[in-house]
Amino acid sequence: ASCRALMNCSLPHRVLLGSLMEGQRDRLCLQSLWDFVTTQEPLIKSPFFPVLFSFTAYMAFCLPYIALDFLSIRLPDLRKYKIQPQNYPSLGMMVPCIIQSVYHHVVLIFPVTFLHWYWRPMHLPVMAPELPEVLLQVAVCLLLFDFEYFLWHLLHHKVPWLYKTFHKVHHKHVSTFALTTQYSSVWELLSLGFFAAINPLLLGCHPLTEMIFFLVNIGLSVEDHSGYDLPWSTHRLVPFGLYGGAPHHDLHHLKFKSNYAPYFTHWDKLFGTFMESHSN
Ligand SMILES: [Zn+2]
Ligand SMILES: [Zn+2]
């Protein structure tokens, strides 16, 4: 019936109706996902959800890289993807990172997200967002987060007191592995959490867009610290060297004085702090 309606109307109306149908199709594509998510409403609205979501996502993104660490130390075919093949994390290096992560999630992230849950109860709309809107907002959130962390990071390297007090912990590992992603001070973790949370709020994102951004952000930060430059690494998928990714951030941990932006390369290029990695 909608096709017949489209054929019977004038051209401007047809264009308008066509784009409306397209919008509906985009929405439909996410609607079934959103409908499934909202069936879990009691869990999503529980005060424990943000901390469970954050920890589960973090560990889920870390696990494949942990497996890769144990596999590639034995398999030379995989070892060629390791950025620093001479340095492998041991179980003794991984366990303190896991303990610190559990401790931070229980003692720090849970109380903060609990207060947020208390003051701003989550509202779950019936309709899903449209796909182009989700993609655009996730990209804008990532660009904003990249800029905010770039400034924070630069400041915490340029002011010796700030470096020593708040950022040095994260630099304990010169050769990073997935579990070092969130190995940082309480202040660094709070700042990163604040930057990640404020952007979707400022843009008025749909809760589904917000969840997708959190997942992408956690996934990219783990990839940054993974210590691997894989054929499908994000910096290989984004053209023109716009994205630095794992080799870019690995160099930051190795040399300290360059590559302050976590994801993209434009701020380091503009501020003269960019250092080319071998893979670029
Ligand atoms: Zn740093
Ligand atoms: Zn790092």
Side-chain angles (χ1 to χ4, degrees):
S2 51
C3 282
R4 209 178 310 137
L6 197 60
M7 295 301 287
N8 287 341
C9 60
S10 63
L11 189 65
H13 282 103
R14 232 182 282 168
V15 172
L16 183 69
L17 206 59
S19 66
L20 274 175
M21 282 166 68
E22 206 151 280
Q24 235 167 7
R25 205 169 342 122
D26 285 337
R27 201 186 286 272
L28 275 179
C29 141
L30 289 176
Q31 191 64 48
S32 42
L33 172 68
W34 182 239
D35 287 343
F36 169 74
V37 173
T38 48
T39 57
Q40 311 298 314
E41 193 174 345
L43 171 70
I44 294 173
K45 287 194 167 175
S46 118
F48 300 103
F49 178 71
V51 75
L52 282 174
F53 180 85
S54 162
F55 186 72
T56 313
Y58 179 54
M59 288 312 290
F61 281 114
C62 283
L63 274 174
Y65 291 112
I66 298 172
L68 198 56
D69 280 329
F70 286 113
L71 277 173
S72 65
I73 200 164
R74 288 165 186 87
L75 301 169
D77 280 351
L78 289 175
R79 207 177 304 151
K80 66 179 180 218
Y81 299 116
K82 185 96 166 75
I83 300 170
Q84 296 183 42
Q86 70 282 12
N87 293 317
Y88 267 92
S90 63
L91 201 61
M93 288 158 83
M94 289 181 184
V95 172
C97 295
I98 299 175
I99 293 172
Q100 199 217 44
S101 189
V102 172
Y103 177 77
H104 277 161
H105 275 86
V106 173
V107 173
L108 180 75
I109 298 175
F110 175 63
V112 172
T113 52
F114 182 84
L115 289 177
H116 185 259
W117 170 86
Y118 184 78
W119 278 314
R120 282 194 84 245
M122 200 194 245
H123 165 67
L124 303 180
V126 177
M127 295 303 286
E130 283 181 23
L131 187 61
E133 176 194 301
V134 172
L135 296 176
L136 181 72
Q137 287 185 333
V138 168
V140 174
C141 281
L142 276 176
L143 283 163
L144 287 173
F145 178 87
D146 186 71
F147 174 59
E148 291 150 354
Y149 186 65
F150 170 77
L151 289 181
W152 186 100
H153 200 184
L154 190 68
L155 187 72
H156 284 72
H157 271 266
K158 296 294 173 196
V159 181
W161 178 78
L162 288 178
Y163 178 79
K164 231 185 277 172
T165 320
F166 300 119
H167 189 49
K168 201 180 169 192
V169 185
H170 183 62
H171 277 279
K172 185 188 170 194
H173 298 278
V174 177
S175 173
T176 59
F177 48 95
L179 289 164
T180 61
T181 306
Q182 292 186 6
Y183 192 82
S184 44
S185 69
V186 167
W187 170 244
E188 179 158 357
L189 214 60
L190 270 179
S191 309
L192 288 177
F194 176 74
F195 296 149
I198 198 78
N199 298 326
L201 203 73
L202 287 174
L203 296 178
C205 290
H206 187 283
L208 182 64
T209 312
E210 199 176 341
M211 285 180 202
I212 294 172
F213 164 64
F214 287 156
L215 284 177
V216 172
N217 198 29
I218 296 170
L220 291 179
S221 63
V222 170
E223 186 198 47
D224 253 10
H225 293 86
S226 67
Y228 289 93
D229 182 5
L230 297 162
W232 55 85
S233 287
T234 315
H235 76 101
R236 295 184 181 278
L237 308 177
V238 180
F240 314 119
L242 294 172
Y243 192 87
H248 183 253
H249 195 66
D250 192 86
L251 217 51
H252 173 72
H253 278 264
L254 194 65
K255 308 266 184 194
F256 290 97
K257 292 186 192 308
S258 58
N259 300 354
Y260 296 108
Y263 304 141
F264 299 94
T265 53
H266 55 278
W267 291 114
D268 281 302
K269 284 174 180 164
L270 261 163
F271 277 67
T273 52
F274 177 72
M275 189 188 267
E276 191 94 38
S277 60
H278 293 305
S279 62
N280 289 333

